[in-house]
Structure formats: structure tokens, C-alpha cells
């Protein structure tokens, strides 16, 4: 058995190794480009970018290991990013919860103040109601009605007296004119 390959076979093997090395270089460059672009690293994406077949990527252990490592790194990066986002959201919610808690405390204090004020006012109302018996309220209501009637009567009397005053003034003016006429007549014959 001959262990030294024939020159044609050796040249074919070298060419094949060279194409494989070039394809692996393109695979590594494609993975690096996908990572820089923050694009998803997958077998199909690397195959398209590196211009190699998926079969090559699955069959070649170095290519398969490079893609698996890139996908694991992307998964770890995504996990860290999601963890950071969760921490940020949690901090935001924690802040909102603290703000809501402060607002709730302020509202409860305001409610307590208002309840105290309402209690004081209800006490004043009860005190006022306690001073007035039903009989006193009835008497005051009757007096109020009587006073309203008296006001109406006095208003009507005032109107009547006002009309009489106007009439008296009118009569007085008439009488003054008449007296002036009479005085004028009396003064005329003696001058003539």
C-alpha cells in the first residue's frame, strides 16, 4: 500500500483545503459582521453572507463550532440585555410604587383632616339643633311669617302714603299757582 498520495491527488487535496480555508475565513468574517451589525447569527444568515452551503456549515466542525459559539454569545448578550431592561423597568416601577405610596399617604392625611373638619361641623350643627326645640322652631317660624306679612302691609301702606304725598305736593303746587294768580289780580287793579 502506498501512503504517499499521487501528485494529482495531492494537488486536489491542497486545492480543497485552500477552498475550505477560504470558506472558513468568509464564515468567520460573516459572523463578525453580523455581530457588529447586531443582527441575529444563524446558520442560514452565515451561509448567505459567507456564500457557502448550509451543508458545509453543518459538516465542517470548525464552522459549526464558530456559529454555535456566536449564537451562544448572542444568547448571553440578549440575556444580559433583557436582564438590564428588566432591572430598569423594575426600578421605574419601584419609583412609581414609591410615588404612589407617597400620594396615598398624602391622600389619607387629607381624608383624615377632612373627616375631622366634617365631624366638627356636624357637632356645631348638633349644638345648634339642640338649642332649638321643636316648639321654639315653630314659634320662630310663626313670628317670621307674621313679620313677613307686616312687611308686606307696611310696604303697601308706604306706597299709599307715597301716592298721597305726591298728590298733596301736586295740590300744593296748584294752590301756589292759584295764590300767585290771585295776588297778581289784586295787584293789577290798584296799579290801573
Amino acid at each position: 500500500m502506498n501512503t504517499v498520495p499521487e501528485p494529482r491527488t495531492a494537488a486536489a487535496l491542497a486545492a480543497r483545503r485552500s477552498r475550505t480555508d477560504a470558506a472558513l475565513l468568509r464564515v468567520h468574517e460573516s459572523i463578525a459582521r453580523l455581530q457588529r451589525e447586531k443582527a441575529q447569527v444563524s446558520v442560514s444568515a452565515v451561509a448567505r453572507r459567507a456564500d457557502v452551503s448550509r451543508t458545509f456549515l453543518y459538516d465542517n466542525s470548525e464552522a459549526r463550532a464558530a456559529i454555535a459559539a456566536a449564537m451562544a454569545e448572542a444568547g448571553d448578550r440578549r440575556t444580559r440585555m433583557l436582564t438590564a431592561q428588566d432591572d430598569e423597568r423594575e426600578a421605574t416601577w419601584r419609583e412609581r410604587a414609591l410615588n404612589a405610596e407617597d400620594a396615598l399617604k398624602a391622600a389619607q392625611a387629607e381624608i383624615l383632616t377632612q373627616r375631622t373638619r366634617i365631624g366638627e361641623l356636624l357637632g356645631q350643627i348638633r349644638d345648634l339643633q339642640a338649642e332649638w326645640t321643636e316648639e321654639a322652631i315653630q314659634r320662630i317660624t310663626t313670628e317670621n311669617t307674621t313679620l313677613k306679612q307686616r312687611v308686606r302691609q307696611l310696604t303697601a301702606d308706604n306706597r299709599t302714603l307715597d301716592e298721597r304725598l305726591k298728590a298733596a305736593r301736586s295740590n300744593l303746587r296748584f294752590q301756589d299757582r292759584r295764590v300767585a294768580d290771585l295776588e297778581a289780580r289784586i295787584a293789577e287793579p290798584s296799579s290801573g
Side-chain angles (χ1 to χ4, degrees):
M1 215 162 161
N2 191 359
T3 58
V4 175
E6 292 182 28
R8 281 180 59 188
T9 307
L13 286 174
R16 183 172 180 203
R17 208 172 298 117
S18 174
R19 280 194 311 272
T20 301
D21 289 344
L24 284 173
L25 181 62
R26 289 194 313 270
V27 165
H28 288 293
E29 288 172 351
S30 297
I31 291 172
R33 197 172 335 123
L34 286 168
Q35 287 173 332
R36 274 194 312 272
E37 295 171 359
K38 296 188 179 178
Q40 184 177 0
V41 177
S42 66
V43 173
S44 60
V46 172
R48 266 193 316 276
R49 295 262 180 126
D51 196 25
V52 295
S53 70
R54 290 185 194 180
T55 305
F56 172 78
L57 296 176
Y58 287 120
D59 287 346
N60 187 293
S61 61
E62 186 179 338
R64 189 173 57 243
I67 291 173
M71 288 172 71
E73 183 182 327
D76 290 345
R77 191 170 43 245
R78 178 164 171 73
T79 302
R80 284 192 306 273
M81 182 182 73
L82 289 175
T83 302
Q85 286 177 348
D86 286 346
D87 290 345
E88 185 178 316
R89 282 190 199 116
E90 185 177 327
T92 302
W93 281 107
R94 190 176 303 120
E95 185 178 330
R96 286 181 184 171
L98 290 174
N99 289 342
E101 192 174 292
D102 290 343
L104 181 62
K105 285 179 184 176
Q108 287 173 338
E110 180 65 23
I111 289 170
L112 182 61
T113 302
Q114 294 299 329
R115 283 184 176 165
T116 303
R117 181 70 179 135
I118 289 169
E120 290 170 0
L121 292 173
L122 287 174
Q124 289 176 4
I125 290 171
R126 268 187 242 108
D127 290 346
L128 290 173
Q129 287 175 339
E131 291 177 13
W132 302 102
T133 63
E134 188 64 37
E135 183 180 300
I137 292 171
Q138 183 63 37
R139 182 180 47 78
I140 290 171
T141 304
T142 304
E143 287 176 13
N144 190 30
T145 304
T146 305
L147 288 173
K148 284 180 183 177
Q149 289 173 352
R150 181 77 178 128
V151 166
R152 279 195 296 273
Q153 180 62 43
L154 289 173
T155 303
D157 290 347
N158 190 28
R159 242 182 275 126
T160 304
L161 290 173
D162 193 39
E163 289 170 4
R164 285 183 185 171
L165 178 63
K166 285 179 186 175
R169 283 182 181 159
S170 177
N171 285 339
L172 181 61
R173 280 192 300 273
F174 177 73
Q175 292 298 327
D176 282 344
R177 270 187 259 129
R178 197 152 179 229
V179 168
D181 273 350
L182 288 174
E183 287 175 351
R185 277 192 209 159
I186 294 173
E188 273 182 26
S190 58
S191 63

